[in-house]
Amino acid sequence: MLLIKNIGTLATARGAKPLAGRMQNDGVEMIRDAAVLVNGDRIAAVFGAGEPLPDAERVFDAEGKLVTAGLTDAHTHLVFGGWRQHEVHLKLRGAGYLEILQAGGGILNTLVATRSASEDELYDRASAFLDEMLMHGITTVEIKSGYGLDAENELKQLRVIKRLINNGYDVVPTFMGAHAVPPEFAGDADAYVEYLCNTVLPIVAESGLAKYCDAFCETGVFTVEQSRRVLETAKRLGLPSKIHADEIDAIGGSVLAGELNAVSSEHLIAIDSRGVEALAKGGVIACLLPATSFYLNKGYAPARDMIEAGVPVAICTDFNPGSCPSLNLQFCMNLGYLKYRMMPGEILSAVTLNAACAIGLGETHGTVEAGKSADLVVWNAPDIDYLVYRMGSNLVSHIIRKGEVIL
Ligand code: NIG
Ligand code: FE
């Protein structure tokens, strides 16, 4: 048993369901002078001020600091080869994201580097990224494939993710073969979609290497109909939907997310009121990616409109070599505060419970409650207001992952 005592404030949501509307903020409790008892890799009990504490073999003194659940990053593309630093100056000279992609850069550039990387190389890089994330308080991560774009290389990415899981990383895998049209199918997205549906998806589903299927529904990438075809096929094969939607243009991706009752819809920078309504109706979690907005310099998703409409909001990094080369979710929390104008409690639920729910882990992750996974962060911060206010520093003091104090 491990007793974490002398917690100044324990800030946590409760339950296993995403928080929406006013509850996204009000559902976050501040428990003063708290303590947490951990048994193995699970939380055994939470104590408030004045409650008698049990004896434990190990005691960790939180020295009056803020403690939260470990952060969940519910949207990353972190298994990839190469980097894309040379594209930045093109962007600064005015080249658009889709323009770079159509010229064979962007995702297709990373495709070449990912295909030529060995599984071991990809594993070493990915595990280093996850270690760095952990040091920033992120204990659970979703990872998408989508830089292989053929059966062999998508499976290679998914096997790397599987190896990360086998080696103790808390990771959820998503298949994203519909991330771009690979060179073999240049100019024929329909044919690539058929290849995905008839050849790749059945193998992926059979392999058990993916939990979700994601598609990039965007002008010049996949249309609503193509995205629907991929996601419906995946759903029939047992992979629920996620959708990159309305990142650049609102072509109907968020409406499709609602229709498919997708688990989550991602980006949503350009979402319109029809899209917001569809997400609310479909019970879709909005995974917002403010560091990508920052990096693309193209405006921010209307988070407040979504919260007001009752859409549960999660905040994630989108870590990838193109549109977000940062894996610092704390920076995303700052942006959520300043750019989305979300309240500190809303932001905390966005990176804990709502994010966990966006990857199907609401029952076991995202809150500090008896029975949940013992993933906690001790912060060099007195309260959550401070956490979202300070910028550019890593405010982690200690991390407890699966019951082990690791920093
Ligand atoms: O979520 N928007 C599409 N996909 C990624 C970017 C991937 C890349 O540029 O390599 C994203 O931002
Ligand atoms: Fe993404």
Side-chain angles (χ1 to χ4, degrees):
M1 294 270 197
L2 165 72
L3 181 68
I4 304 157
K5 65 166 198 184
N6 204 8
I7 297 171
T9 299
L10 175 63
T12 183
R14 279 190 190 280
K17 299 234 158 62
L19 298 182
R22 267 192 46 200
M23 285 310 287
Q24 174 140 8
N25 188 67
D26 297 354
V28 175
E29 251 181 90
M30 305 299 158
I31 307 170
R32 312 285 170 199
D33 302 319
V36 175
L37 184 68
V38 171
N39 185 7
D41 60 359
R42 301 268 142 192
I43 294 167
V46 175
F47 305 91
E51 289 187 61
L53 300 180
D55 287 327
E57 302 90 73
R58 289 181 299 152
V59 176
F60 177 86
D61 186 346
E63 295 173 344
K65 293 175 181 178
L66 170 72
V67 170
T68 68
L71 308 184
T72 290
D73 188 347
H75 181 141
T76 82
H77 305 255
L78 77 65
V79 176
F80 59 87
W83 288 100
R84 305 223 298 273
Q85 67 271 38
H86 307 302
E87 281 173 12
V88 181
H89 73 275
L90 296 177
K91 283 188 204 161
L92 293 178
R93 287 197 203 124
Y97 182 77
L98 297 174
E99 208 178 315
I100 292 175
L101 181 62
Q102 269 141 22
I107 294 171
L108 297 178
N109 183 333
T110 301
L111 170 143
V112 173
T114 305
R115 283 186 180 177
S116 59
S118 72
E119 221 166 294
D120 286 346
E121 277 165 348
L122 292 175
Y123 177 84
D124 289 345
R125 284 167 58 103
S127 61
F129 295 147
L130 287 176
D131 291 341
E132 193 180 340
M133 287 181 137
L134 187 62
M135 294 308 148
H136 286 81
I138 304 168
T139 47
T140 305
V141 178
E142 183 257 19
I143 307 177
K144 301 170 197 300
S145 69
Y147 290 122
L149 306 187
D150 61 21
E152 181 193 336
N153 289 287
E154 285 295 305
L155 284 163
K156 178 171 77 176
Q157 279 192 281
L158 291 172
R159 280 195 306 272
V160 169
I161 301 173
K162 178 73 181 168
R163 216 165 119 189
L164 294 165
I165 296 167
N166 289 345
N167 289 338
Y169 293 100
D170 210 356
V171 167
V172 168
T174 296
F175 170 68
M176 199 175 176
H179 195 194
V181 178
E184 300 80 22
F185 289 90
D188 198 351
D190 278 331
Y192 180 58
V193 164
E194 288 316 303
Y195 165 71
L196 283 178
C197 292
N198 300 327
T199 306
V200 188
L201 265 168
I203 303 173
V204 168
E206 172 72 29
S207 74
L209 291 173
K211 181 171 178 182
Y212 297 107
C213 181
D214 199 337
F216 188 10
C217 182
E218 187 58 66
T219 307
V221 191
F222 296 103
T223 64
V224 170
E225 282 323 308
Q226 290 161 343
S227 305
R228 184 198 300 279
R229 169 97 174 98
V230 171
L231 295 173
E232 280 182 346
T233 304
K235 223 173 158 180
R236 273 198 300 277
L237 292 166
L239 304 178
S241 315
K242 289 175 167 282
I243 313 179
H244 280 58
D246 305 356
E247 177 179 359
I248 295 154
D249 295 317
I251 62 167
S254 48
V255 175
L256 176 64
E259 279 172 29
L260 293 176
N261 301 111
V263 179
S264 66
S265 186
E266 336 287 305
H267 285 291
L268 307 171
I269 295 170
I271 194 171
D272 55 17
S273 55
R274 220 163 59 96
V276 174
E277 228 170 86
L279 297 185
K281 235 169 108 187
V284 183
I285 298 173
C287 284
L288 304 185
L289 316 169
T292 305
S293 281
F294 176 84
Y295 216 75
L296 296 177
N297 217 0
K298 285 274 188 275
Y300 288 82
R304 288 248 62 88
D305 293 351
M306 294 184 226
I307 290 174
E308 252 115 73
V311 177
V313 168
I315 293 178
C316 327
T317 62
D318 193 24
F319 178 55
N320 74 75
S323 61
C324 187
S326 168
L327 45 67
N328 187 350
L329 192 54
Q330 290 176 52
F331 174 55
C332 300
M333 293 165 73
N334 297 136
L335 291 173
Y337 195 35
L338 294 169
K339 300 295 184 181
Y340 292 157
R341 299 180 172 274
M342 286 169 66
M343 306 208 282
E346 291 173 333
I347 294 167
L348 184 69
S349 38
V351 293
T352 54
L353 181 57
N354 285 8
C357 291
I359 50 175
L361 298 179
E363 297 284 345
T364 49
H365 291 66
T367 69
V368 184
E369 292 178 286
K372 289 223 180 175
S373 184
D375 300 319
L376 301 127
V377 183
V378 183
W379 297 97
N380 284 315
D383 52 43
I384 58 172
D385 292 44
Y386 185 90
L387 202 57
V388 295
Y389 140 84
R390 285 289 307 280
M391 203 174 77
S393 301
N394 181 7
L395 295 181
V396 167
S397 165
H398 290 79
I399 295 143
I400 291 121
R401 179 172 69 167
K402 293 178 189 158
E404 290 303 319
V405 182
I406 44 167
L407 204 90

